């Protein structure tokens, strides 16, 4: 009201001066201090504004009766916010603050290099003068931290891949991303509950361990090696880790990386709070000893012959078209690995025995996790997930039989879930069929081990021969050795490599 009277009576300059004096006098006697957090600060977007909006959303959804709703890009959930000119009170460590969302029309004469929104938005924070230091320090830090947490929870994780083979996109990024919506969580993951709890605790310690890593002078990163037969949940575990911590995933396809320096560039373009994954590491790179890598024979040549690259050269960088174990180790462990923070490296393999000890030494892959054939405890989780059965829903006798036959059957969680999915409409049948399948498998395994015992001597010699062959293969990889390696690996995983695929790999 006073402003409108002033507008009528005085010219703008005097009006402005009078208002300023009135404000000063009011402020002098007021017990409160006020802070404006505007949406746009000069030409930049004010991060604090967005953070406050998100932070208040966690309160507004409970207390407010008029809310604004937003759904961000890449997000599958809705956030609530204070509507225009609404207010609420927040408390922090015994300090009360008052938030108001102030929206006013923008002066159309304002000049700007970029289009500005028609409305001027901002939050007005009011607090007692005596609480000024708490509000400006700890409280605003708390708001920022909470906002980041909410942002991570709301935003779908991204899955990045380097499948373009080193080429950059229009913004100079070597990674392509898609929203990551894998539903696997630690709850749905069938494995020994104790081991699961250990892994979850380890992940939490890592995520909350900034000060620990700082204090001990270690780079804030952690390595997990997941090993075990196909179908035991290694990939599902990675998805569960990402969902648990709210991290993005960088799925690194090593066969698409041609040089160590390219690998380094890829690493530099990863963000913090992410999981960098190399699946089937024994298949993607010839993991011979680092010492051997210095000789021209042992690095894994991923360049197709005649591609114009320095095929067969093993020089680490400098145009060399190879990627070596030492390059990979530098990637995970060297100085370059800390050009960012809070990152987890996960390698998976079906054959841990094929990996170089350099990769396994402690401090490099901090935790080795064996994903084994399904145990009885894991089976119970699968029964609960797929059939909704708890222990009490299955006859005691049936459960005992399942428990007895479980280990001998060596069935992976993937195999078991197949049987359960197939019969999920008839739950009792599902359990019986599962028992039958387990028994058949157990018998087959028993027979196999009996036969093997008889032939053990003969097998030993065959194994020796195989080892010699493998050693020879490792010592003298030929051009295109990568293809052979991939083929071998694919065969082991039970999938035939057809000619198209071969052609693609060569391309
Ligand atoms: N431990 C598990 N808990 C729950 N489901 C599982 C588990 N292991 C496997 N599965 C199921 O089997 C399927 C295959 O599992 P996954 O891809 O995680 O296996 P993997 O160990 O990564 O196999 P590979 O070595 O072939 O990559 C998944 O879709 C999942 O539904
Ligand atoms: Mg997998």
């Amino acid at each position: 009201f006073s402003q409108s009277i002033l507008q009528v009576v005085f010219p703008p300059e005097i009006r402005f001066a009078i208002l300023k004096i009135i404000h000063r006098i009011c402020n002098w006697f007021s017990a409160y201090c006020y802070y404006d957090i505007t949406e746009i600060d000069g030409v930049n977007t004010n991060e604090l504004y967005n953070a406050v909006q998100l932070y208040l959303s966690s309160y507004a959804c409970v207390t407010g009766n008029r809310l604004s709703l937003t759904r961000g890009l890449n997000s599958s959930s809705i956030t609530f916010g204070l509507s225009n000119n609404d207010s609420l009170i927040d408390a922090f460590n015994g300090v009360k603050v008052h938030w108001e969302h102030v929206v006013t029309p923008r002066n159309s004469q304002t000049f700007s290099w970029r289009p500005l929104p028609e409305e001027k938005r901002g939050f007005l924070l009011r607090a007692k003068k005596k609480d000024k230091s708490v509000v400006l320090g700890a409280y605003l830090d708390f708001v920022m931290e909470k906002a980041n947490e909410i942002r991570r929870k709301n935003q779908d994780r991204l899955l990045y891949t380097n499948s373009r083979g080193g080429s950059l996109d229009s913004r100079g990024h070597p990674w392509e991303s898609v929203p990551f919506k894998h539903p696997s969580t630690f709850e749905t993951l069938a494995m020994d509950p104790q081991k699961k709890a250990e892994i979850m605790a380890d992940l939490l310690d890592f995520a909350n361990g900034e000060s620990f890593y700082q204090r001990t002078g270690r780079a804030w990163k952690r390595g997990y090696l997941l090993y075990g037969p196909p179908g035991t949940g290694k990939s599902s575990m990675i998805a569960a880790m990402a969902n648990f911590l709210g991290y993005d995933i960088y799925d690194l396809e090593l066969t698409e990386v041609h040089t160590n320096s390219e690998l380094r560039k890829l690493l530099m373009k990863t963000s913090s709070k992410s999981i960098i994954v190399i699946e089937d590491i024994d298949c993607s790179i010839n993991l011979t000893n680092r010492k051997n890598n210095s000789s021209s024979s042992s690095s894994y040549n991923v360049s197709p012959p005649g591609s114009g690259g320095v095929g067969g050269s093993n020089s680490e960088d400098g145009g060399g078209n190879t990627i070596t174990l030492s390059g990979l180790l530098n990637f995970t462990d060297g100085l370059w690995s800390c050009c960012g923070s809070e990152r987890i490296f996960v390698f998976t393999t079906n054959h841990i025995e094929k990996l170089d000890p350099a990769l396994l030494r402690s401090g490099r892959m901090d935790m080795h996790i064996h994903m084994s054939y399904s145990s009885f405890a894991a089976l119970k989780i699968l029964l609960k997930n797929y059939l909704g059965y708890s222990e009490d829903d299955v006859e005691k006798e049936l459960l005992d039989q399942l428990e007895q036959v479980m280990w001998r059957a060596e069935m992976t969680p993937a195999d078991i879930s197949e049987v359960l999915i197939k019969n999920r409409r008839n739950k009792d049948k599902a359990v019986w069929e599962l028992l039958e399948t387990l028994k058949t498998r157990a018998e087959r395994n028993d027979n196999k081990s009996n036969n093997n015992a008889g032939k053990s001597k003969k097998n030993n010699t065959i194994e020796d021969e195989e080892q010699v062959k493998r050693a020879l293969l490792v010592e003298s990889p030929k051009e295109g050795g990568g293809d052979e390696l991939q083929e071998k690996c694919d065969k082991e995983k039970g999938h035939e490599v057809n000619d198209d695929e071969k052609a693609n790999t060569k391309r």
Side-chain angles (χ1 to χ4, degrees):
F1 175 70
S2 61
Q3 275 191 16
S4 48
I5 291 181
L6 285 173
Q7 256 172 9
V8 177
V9 183
F10 297 106
E13 298 80 30
I14 298 178
R15 213 161 64 208
F16 185 69
I18 293 175
L19 276 176
K20 216 167 144 187
I21 292 167
I22 294 174
H23 269 147
R24 280 236 175 115
I25 295 169
C26 289
N27 281 347
W28 190 263
F29 291 106
S30 166
Y32 292 99
C33 48
Y34 296 83
Y35 301 99
D36 269 324
I37 299 169
T38 50
E39 184 185 16
I40 292 165
D41 166 36
V43 285
N44 297 322
T45 307
N46 186 357
E47 265 197 38
L48 188 57
Y49 174 86
N50 292 334
V52 170
Q53 195 169 34
L54 267 181
Y55 168 74
L56 293 181
S57 74
S58 62
Y59 278 82
C61 59
V62 187
T63 56
N65 40 19
R66 185 173 166 185
L67 310 167
S68 66
L69 304 177
T70 31
R71 187 176 145 169
L73 190 71
N74 267 337
S75 169
S76 49
S77 59
I78 289 170
T79 45
F80 303 85
L82 266 188
S83 282
N84 299 351
N85 300 322
D86 260 4
S87 60
L88 61 81
I89 290 171
D90 186 22
F92 173 76
N93 289 349
V95 172
K96 258 192 187 171
V97 294
H98 180 270
W99 284 104
E100 189 180 346
H101 194 206
V102 185
V103 181
T104 48
R106 187 176 292 281
N107 188 347
S108 56
Q109 289 162 359
T110 316
F111 174 76
S112 165
W113 289 107
R114 65 168 191 173
L116 292 170
E118 280 178 7
E119 286 171 333
K120 236 165 127 178
R121 277 178 290 221
F123 284 103
L124 181 66
L125 168 63
R126 191 186 76 191
K128 289 236 170 83
K129 276 182 181 162
K130 67 178 175 59
D131 300 327
K132 194 173 163 182
S133 61
V134 179
V135 170
L136 287 184
Y139 179 63
L140 285 185
D141 283 349
F142 173 75
V143 169
M144 288 296 276
E145 202 179 294
K146 278 274 169 226
N148 280 336
E149 211 173 276
I150 296 167
R151 196 173 290 136
R152 245 181 298 141
K153 259 191 219 154
N154 288 343
Q155 198 168 1
D156 287 334
R157 263 134 301 299
L158 292 177
L159 173 64
Y160 293 88
T161 147
N162 62 320
S163 56
R164 267 193 309 238
S167 61
L168 307 177
D169 71 1
S170 54
R171 280 174 299 149
H173 277 288
W175 298 97
E176 263 179 304
S177 70
V178 287
F180 174 69
K181 300 205 175 195
H182 202 296
S184 172
T185 61
F186 274 106
E187 215 162 79
T188 62
L189 202 64
M191 64 186 292
D192 183 31
Q194 203 183 335
K195 207 155 97 186
K196 197 194 283 189
E198 227 172 80
I199 297 166
M200 287 167 81
D202 194 74
L203 286 169
L204 273 186
D205 282 348
F206 170 79
N208 301 324
E210 183 172 11
S211 56
F212 169 80
Y213 283 88
Q214 193 91 40
R215 203 174 58 239
T216 49
R218 292 171 70 103
W220 194 8
K221 65 188 176 63
R222 196 148 178 87
Y224 296 90
L225 176 73
L226 309 182
Y227 65 98
T232 47
K234 295 180 292 299
S235 306
S236 311
M237 161 78 86
I238 296 170
M241 283 176 165
N243 288 331
F244 181 58
L245 295 177
Y247 286 8
D248 292 334
I249 295 186
Y250 288 86
D251 187 6
L252 181 65
E253 186 57 62
L254 270 191
T255 46
E256 295 284 343
V257 185
H258 302 113
T259 58
N260 290 338
S261 61
E262 215 176 291
L263 193 61
R264 207 174 293 160
K265 272 182 211 147
L266 280 167
L267 178 73
M268 281 166 67
K269 292 282 182 185
T270 57
S271 59
S272 54
K273 291 190 190 297
S274 58
I275 303 181
I276 298 166
V277 179
I278 303 180
E279 289 250 41
D280 298 319
I281 183 135
D282 52 313
C283 301
S284 17
I285 184 169
N286 199 356
L287 293 171
T288 53
N289 196 304
R290 265 184 300 177
K291 276 184 215 140
N292 294 344
N293 279 332
S294 58
S295 79
S296 67
S297 59
S298 61
S299 50
Y300 167 42
N301 181 4
V302 289
S303 99
S307 67
V310 195
S313 154
N314 75 316
S315 58
E316 273 209 2
D317 294 310
N321 221 13
T322 54
I323 164 173
T324 57
L325 175 60
S326 65
L328 184 68
L329 295 182
N330 274 335
F331 173 77
T332 57
D333 206 22
L335 289 173
W336 287 98
S337 66
C338 27
C339 59
S341 61
E342 216 182 332
R343 274 180 310 191
I344 293 178
F345 290 90
V346 183
F347 293 171
T348 75
T349 177
N350 297 136
H351 302 282
I352 193 171
E353 71 284 356
K354 284 189 191 169
L355 301 186
D356 190 287
L359 200 66
L360 302 177
R361 76 144 170 84
S362 54
R364 191 151 274 148
M365 289 288 116
D366 303 280
M367 215 175 173
H368 296 183
I369 302 169
H370 182 209
M371 303 299 288
S372 57
Y373 291 116
S374 182
S375 62
F376 183 58
L379 173 71
K380 283 195 275 190
I381 297 174
L382 289 173
L383 286 177
K384 186 162 168 272
N385 288 346
Y386 286 86
L387 307 179
Y389 269 0
S390 71
E391 232 172 299
D392 304 332
D393 295 322
V394 188
E395 286 169 37
K396 173 93 177 58
E397 200 183 318
L398 194 55
L399 267 185
D400 288 345
Q401 284 190 46
L402 284 170
E403 187 170 8
Q404 276 168 19
V405 82
M406 205 64 225
W407 272 116
R408 279 168 41 231
E410 295 193 342
M411 263 176 95
T412 61
D415 292 336
I416 293 177
S417 45
E418 268 314 306
V419 178
L420 297 181
I421 289 175
K422 202 171 67 188
N423 298 300
R424 69 181 182 282
R425 283 201 203 89
N426 189 346
K427 297 180 181 180
D428 290 338
K429 184 173 169 241
V431 184
W432 278 107
E433 189 169 327
L434 180 64
L435 181 63
E436 285 309 310
T437 321
L438 285 168
K439 278 183 179 165
T440 323
R441 290 274 192 118
E443 253 170 51
R444 206 182 61 193
N445 286 344
D446 289 348
N447 288 341
K448 223 193 262 173
S449 58
N450 286 342
N451 285 345
N452 282 351
K455 291 179 192 164
S456 70
K457 208 179 163 194
K458 199 175 160 195
N459 276 355
N460 276 348
T461 37
I462 293 173
E463 253 170 41
D464 287 348
E465 267 174 36
E466 290 244 311
Q467 264 180 7
V468 173
K469 267 190 217 161
R470 221 178 287 149
L472 283 174
L473 197 75
V474 160
E475 271 173 21
S476 57
K478 294 168 285 226
E479 280 193 352
D483 292 349
E484 275 171 31
L485 200 69
Q486 187 67 48
E487 215 168 292
K488 204 171 139 221
C489 180
D490 286 336
K491 268 189 193 151
E492 267 170 30
K493 292 185 132 236
H495 116 237
E496 288 290 319
V497 182
N498 59 33
D499 289 338
D500 284 353
E501 267 175 317
K502 273 191 219 168
N504 278 339
T505 332
K506 288 222 161 112
R507 224 174 287 137

